[in-house]
Amino acid sequence: MAPSHAFRCCKRALNWIPVLFINLVVGWSYYAYVVELCVYTIPDNAERIGYLVIFHIFLFMFIWSYWKTILSKPASPSKAFALPRTEKELYEREERAEVQQEVLKKVARNLPAYTRTAGGAIRYCDPCQVIKPDRCHHCSTCEMCVLKMDHHCPWVNNCVGFSNYKYFVLFLAYASLYCLVICATVVQYFIKFWTKQLPDTHAKFHILFLFFVAALFCISILSLFCYHLWLVGKNRTTIEAFRAPVFINSPDKNGFSLGFRRNVAEVFGDQVKYWFFPVFSSLGDGHSFVTRLVHIDPEQANSVLQQNGKSLVDEEGNTRVLGNNVQHSVDESKEKTDGGQIVSVTMDSDP
């Protein structure tokens, strides 16, 4: 037990090395840009002040979104997806896989979970002992199931998923802009030092190296940012891009795609004013998702999620479809039947 605990502690400490590296690079870039470039190299005060203002704006947004990605705890499945005590004991006692599947099917019948394994079985996590919600996967590094898991990123030492995917995309965006600002403002002095139009000073090394490092990071981060923008437009995670989700009938890589506008809204929210800030505005609760392939009963999903204190009706009385609040997929007309409320879900056939 003691060696295992010590190994885990060492592993967790080593996982912070990439984060430390990034912060050291950013710290050095701050010194090189502010001190060596703006203070010692740029002669014009107006140019110096303008560069410093723009630089600090993008630096602040970059650091804000980066640390929000790091510090946001990955969202895990609610207790509603755990096996009840009776079924759990039966599942653990049973050795036959087909009987275990029958137990899982019985419990999953009351859950809004419509994806399956490649073999068509109920997706169940043995370490976490929960039926996996749609788009949920187990992270071996974080040792937990993560809702709408995209991937585990060593550069933020955290799982990127439902709780912080928007922050991660913004981190890539502002990191790219941060590097572009450095490259665009340093390039003229880089050329002057390279062609010896400026005298050799202690600032020369910093400015030359700053341009090369910023250009290298800009190319790599910008390519990754474009890839994730494509994923957002398709409403896919990185895992789903490599392995199409398997629904009850068949696999479908576009099973969760609701059209470009609604796909973007799932990640960034339906209010544009929050899109560019690392504040949580993603739609839904990460447990269930609207899909074009399965008819989802909102009443059933509501009863399940209420077990964990969640509801499909928010405080303002707006209807949320499966916790996904994609208001354009909800028919606003409501009918009263036996004192209850019927919500009809309509899906567009966008590619």
Side-chain angles (χ1 to χ4, degrees):
M1 290 295 293
S4 177
H5 178 71
F7 176 77
R8 285 188 175 185
C9 291
C10 291
K11 183 181 177 182
R12 289 174 181 173
L14 291 174
N15 287 340
W16 284 101
I17 291 179
V19 177
L20 178 63
F21 172 75
I22 292 296
N23 282 274
L24 289 175
V25 171
V26 173
W28 167 78
S29 69
Y30 185 87
Y31 168 78
Y33 192 92
V34 173
V35 178
E36 299 295 346
L37 176 67
C38 293
V39 175
Y40 292 135
T41 304
I42 297 178
D44 184 68
N45 284 331
E47 182 183 7
R48 180 186 296 122
I49 293 173
Y51 282 6
L52 285 174
V53 170
I54 296 173
F55 174 81
H56 280 91
I57 290 174
F58 287 107
L59 174 64
F60 174 75
M61 297 303 296
F62 162 47
I63 295 296
W64 186 11
S65 55
Y66 180 58
W67 279 99
K68 284 284 285 187
T69 308
I70 293 175
L71 299 177
S72 297
K73 183 179 179 181
S76 57
S78 71
K79 295 179 180 179
F81 288 83
L83 294 180
R85 178 178 299 179
T86 304
E87 283 74 11
K88 181 180 178 182
E89 292 176 353
L90 180 60
Y91 179 87
E92 293 176 345
R93 287 199 308 264
E94 186 57 55
E95 297 181 357
R96 292 172 295 177
E98 59 273 14
V99 179
Q100 288 181 328
Q101 272 298 301
E102 290 301 321
V103 175
L104 295 179
K105 287 180 181 179
K106 178 183 177 182
V107 178
R109 194 177 299 121
N110 299 319
L111 295 172
Y114 300 96
T115 53
R116 300 291 184 261
T117 66
I122 300 294
R123 300 171 64 244
Y124 181 75
C125 180
D126 286 306
C128 299
Q129 298 184 331
V130 294
I131 293 176
K132 295 180 182 179
D134 293 342
R135 317 184 83 175
C136 174
H137 298 275
H138 184 85
C139 177
S140 57
T141 304
C142 295
E143 299 179 343
M144 63 182 294
C145 281
V146 179
L147 296 179
K148 196 185 177 184
M149 179 178 173
D150 188 88
H151 69 288
H152 183 91
C153 180
W155 298 108
V156 299
N157 190 28
N158 199 2
C159 252
V160 177
F162 175 76
S163 63
N164 61 355
Y165 186 64
K166 177 191 173 183
Y167 307 151
F168 178 75
V169 175
L170 288 178
F171 151 60
L172 296 178
Y174 288 120
S176 300
L177 290 172
Y178 176 73
C179 294
L180 282 172
V181 166
I182 291 177
C183 289
T185 54
V186 169
V187 62
Q188 61 173 315
Y189 296 97
F190 169 84
I191 294 174
K192 289 180 180 179
F193 274 117
W194 190 266
T195 57
K196 300 186 182 301
Q197 297 179 35
L198 289 176
D200 290 345
T201 63
H202 54 80
K204 178 180 179 179
F205 165 79
H206 290 282
I207 292 176
L208 293 179
F209 198 56
L210 179 63
F211 180 81
F212 279 120
V213 171
L216 180 64
F217 272 89
C218 182
I219 294 172
S220 58
I221 296 173
L222 189 60
S223 61
L224 185 60
F225 173 60
C226 292
Y227 174 68
H228 278 278
L229 283 184
W230 178 80
L231 290 178
V232 170
K234 295 291 185 178
N235 202 348
R236 298 178 197 167
T237 64
T238 299
I239 295 175
E240 292 165 354
F242 286 95
R243 184 174 66 249
V246 180
F247 292 87
I248 296 176
N249 296 325
S250 63
D252 191 320
K253 61 182 180 180
N254 294 318
F256 293 108
S257 180
L258 306 173
F260 179 78
R261 181 173 62 88
R262 288 180 288 177
N263 292 342
V264 172
E266 277 209 357
V267 175
F268 291 96
D270 49 11
Q271 299 187 54
V272 179
K273 63 182 179 180
Y274 296 122
W275 283 12
F276 304 101
F277 299 96
V279 294
F280 189 81
S281 60
S282 301
L283 303 179
D285 60 7
H287 288 83
S288 49
F289 300 87
V290 176
T291 169
R292 301 185 303 174
L293 305 180
V294 181
H295 172 72
I296 303 174
D297 181 9
E299 296 291 338
Q300 174 188 341
N302 191 22
S303 63
V304 172
L305 299 178
Q306 277 182 340
Q307 297 179 28
N308 195 40
K310 297 182 180 297
S311 175
L312 301 186
V313 180
D314 60 23
E315 294 177 356
E316 298 178 357
N318 298 322
T319 302
R320 295 177 179 267
V321 179
L322 296 177
N324 213 339
N325 199 21
V326 186
Q327 296 177 356
H328 36 65
S329 66
V330 180
D331 187 351
E332 294 296 337
S333 61
K334 303 177 180 64
E335 301 175 3
K336 299 287 183 176
T337 304
D338 297 332
Q341 195 174 65
I342 295 177
V343 181
S344 59
V345 181
T346 58
M347 302 301 304
D348 293 341
S349 56
D350 294 342

